Amino acid sequence: MTEAVASARYAWGAWAGLPDALHAEWTKLRTLASTWWLLLAAAALTVAVGAAVAATYQCSGGPAACAPAVTDADPAKISLTGVYLGQVIVALLAVLVVGGEYGTGMIRVTLAATPRRLTMLAAKMAVVTGWTLAASVVAVAGSLLAGWLILPGRGLSAANGYVVPSLANGADLRAFGGSVLYLVLIALLALGVTTAVRDSAVAIGLVLGLLYLFPIVSAVIPSHTWSRHLEQIAPMTAGLYIEATVGLAALPLTPWQGLGVLALWAVGALLLGAAILRLRDA
């Protein structure tokens, strides 16, 4: 019984400072003007790019020429095109949460206030998740609205056999809800990478490399088998399968499997960052 009590006290002691750490991290991010600008940019640019792509899509010639079997168009995925840009901004926000403190030396003050390093990292994860979740919901909802308003007038209408983007449709609900989770996972991936490398410039370079290098290599590699395998392990390519609502049988992974690949990348980055955070001095 004594050992059990001691173990419980140790576990509680490890997380006893979490509420204070959460309050501190929330206050730091909330009072930075850059936080608000980045969140606004993430939401606005995601919606703007999605709306622009939807507006430039055009299918004319009537139901025969614009039938889904002819165009292979995915209204939900077209509406969510802006996620390709929005992910860069949420990654930048997550990078600055850690990299900014290392760059200014403020991390020493943070660790003095929260000596338990994993508690500090958990607080940063929670706050980044909350901010990113809020911005992502606005961005994805705006993209849904833009697609619903624009795409029927560009030939992707119910009269031509398409499902207009709507949360009433199960596949669209998965695509839009999964896109919110995708952006949150991208932020956590960036947070883990930055915690490991401790430098904002290096971290954003590594994160963007992970996101965009895999698709480039898989597009130019001559072997179809290797190209498909790269697509299955690429964090961005696999993660964005969650947006697909048509042609699912042709995908290398199911939408949720693809999002799971991204989740593994995020967990791996966070575990690496946590290990280095504990082993190295500030």
Side-chain angles (χ1 to χ4, degrees):
M1 179 62 70
T2 303
E3 292 182 1
V5 172
S7 178
R9 286 179 177 174
Y10 177 80
W12 167 247
W15 300 104
L18 185 58
D20 290 335
L22 282 170
H23 183 266
E25 296 299 331
W26 169 265
T27 302
K28 282 189 287 187
L29 268 185
R30 180 177 56 82
T31 54
L32 286 174
S34 59
T35 300
W36 297 99
W37 283 112
L38 286 171
L39 292 172
L40 178 61
L45 291 177
T46 299
V47 175
V49 171
V53 172
T56 56
Y57 188 92
Q58 180 62 58
C59 181
S60 57
C66 293
V70 176
T71 66
D72 288 326
D74 189 335
K77 194 165 186 176
I78 292 172
S79 302
L80 291 166
T81 306
V83 171
Y84 282 92
L85 179 58
Q87 66 182 344
V88 177
I89 303 174
V90 299
L92 181 58
L93 173 65
V95 165
L96 293 177
V97 168
V98 176
E101 292 197 23
Y102 275 103
T104 60
M106 188 69 183
I107 190 67
R108 295 182 180 87
V109 178
T110 299
L111 291 175
T114 312
R116 296 187 180 276
R117 298 187 174 196
L118 294 187
T119 301
M120 179 205 71
L121 181 59
K124 288 185 180 294
M125 288 171 54
V127 172
V128 166
T129 297
W131 282 108
T132 306
L133 185 64
S136 300
V137 168
V138 173
V140 169
S143 299
L144 168 65
L145 179 61
W148 180 75
L149 292 172
I150 297 172
L151 287 176
R154 314 307 292 177
L156 304 185
S157 61
N160 288 339
Y162 295 92
V163 177
V164 179
S166 169
L167 294 181
N169 177 37
D172 288 341
L173 180 61
R174 184 256 302 151
F176 287 95
S179 295
V180 172
L181 295 177
Y182 174 88
L183 289 171
V184 171
L185 289 171
I186 290 294
L188 292 176
L189 171 64
L191 184 70
V193 170
T194 312
T195 305
V197 301
R198 304 184 173 195
D199 183 275
S200 296
V202 174
I204 196 64
L206 286 173
V207 171
L208 294 182
L210 283 173
L211 295 181
Y212 294 106
L213 187 59
F214 276 100
I216 294 174
V217 174
S218 64
V220 300
I221 195 170
S223 171
H224 175 74
T225 301
W226 281 104
S227 176
R228 188 177 179 87
H229 288 327
L230 283 176
E231 292 176 0
Q232 291 174 326
I233 64 172
M236 182 178 76
T237 305
L240 286 177
Y241 290 155
I242 197 68
E243 293 181 354
T245 61
V246 300
L248 301 184
L251 295 176
L253 298 170
T254 68
W256 288 113
Q257 286 175 340
L259 196 66
V261 169
L262 175 59
L264 289 176
W265 277 95
V267 170
L270 288 169
L271 289 176
L272 177 62
I276 293 177
L277 183 65
R278 291 198 64 183
L279 295 175
R280 288 179 56 186
D281 293 333

